[in-house]
Amino acid sequence: LGFLKSSFAGQLPQPFTEFGSREESLDVQAGKFNDMNKEEVDRYVDISQCSYVVELVPSGSNSLEDPPECLQYMESDSSPGSWTLVSSREYLDAESTQLLHRILYLPFHREVTFKEYNLYAKER
């Protein structure tokens, strides 16, 4: 699992060690951590190393005027192959949906906003 550089500039998870998530892995952590939630650039990978990319597309975004960040990376990818959209799933946009509509299902009056998680695959 790797991360592409995006507008998020905080601390990202470090890769697992050979011990996985067991307690022994705490003894061999070689990565950088900080208590300020500051960005560590060693967590990013180049898109040419990716086989799949997951992107959260904000609700109301116009893909022509403001394309998702991963699409911009895909266009700059010089490795062989092309990227295709494999799957797209709606995800409730909690910031744009009122509390009442997040906690209650009102079929006669439904005012919810969704974001989309898109899965892209590299065809080689």
Side-chain angles (χ1 to χ4, degrees):
L1 176 67
F3 298 93
L4 297 173
K5 178 73 177 122
S6 69
S7 58
F8 177 76
Q11 183 79 4
L12 292 168
Q14 179 172 309
F16 283 108
T17 66
E18 65 270 13
F19 298 108
S21 61
R22 296 191 315 246
E23 191 172 332
E24 296 87 39
S25 68
L26 298 175
D27 297 331
V28 293
Q29 294 293 329
K32 302 174 190 169
F33 288 98
N34 61 72
D35 60 355
M36 304 290 290
N37 196 29
K38 291 187 178 178
E39 179 178 36
E40 297 290 346
V41 295
D42 63 342
R43 309 287 160 74
Y44 298 120
V45 297
D46 188 78
I47 194 161
S48 61
Q49 297 175 280
C50 299
S51 299
Y52 295 93
V53 173
V54 177
E55 175 75 25
L56 179 62
V57 181
S59 56
S61 69
N62 184 337
S63 60
L64 296 176
E65 293 177 16
D66 186 25
E69 291 173 325
C70 76
L71 295 181
Q72 296 171 27
Y73 280 112
M74 290 174 195
E75 290 173 2
S76 68
D77 183 13
S78 59
S79 63
S82 61
W83 290 94
T84 57
L85 178 64
V86 176
S87 181
S88 183
R89 298 288 186 250
E90 288 184 333
Y91 185 80
L92 184 72
D93 185 351
E95 294 174 349
S96 301
T97 303
Q98 294 178 5
L99 178 64
L100 178 65
H101 295 283
R102 292 194 316 256
I103 59 174
L104 291 175
Y105 175 68
L106 305 170
F108 54 88
H109 186 69
R110 191 84 171 138
E111 293 181 21
V112 295
T113 306
F114 292 98
K115 296 180 182 182
E116 288 184 349
Y117 269 110
N118 291 342
L119 173 65
Y120 297 91
K122 177 83 172 213
E123 293 181 359
R124 301 191 189 268

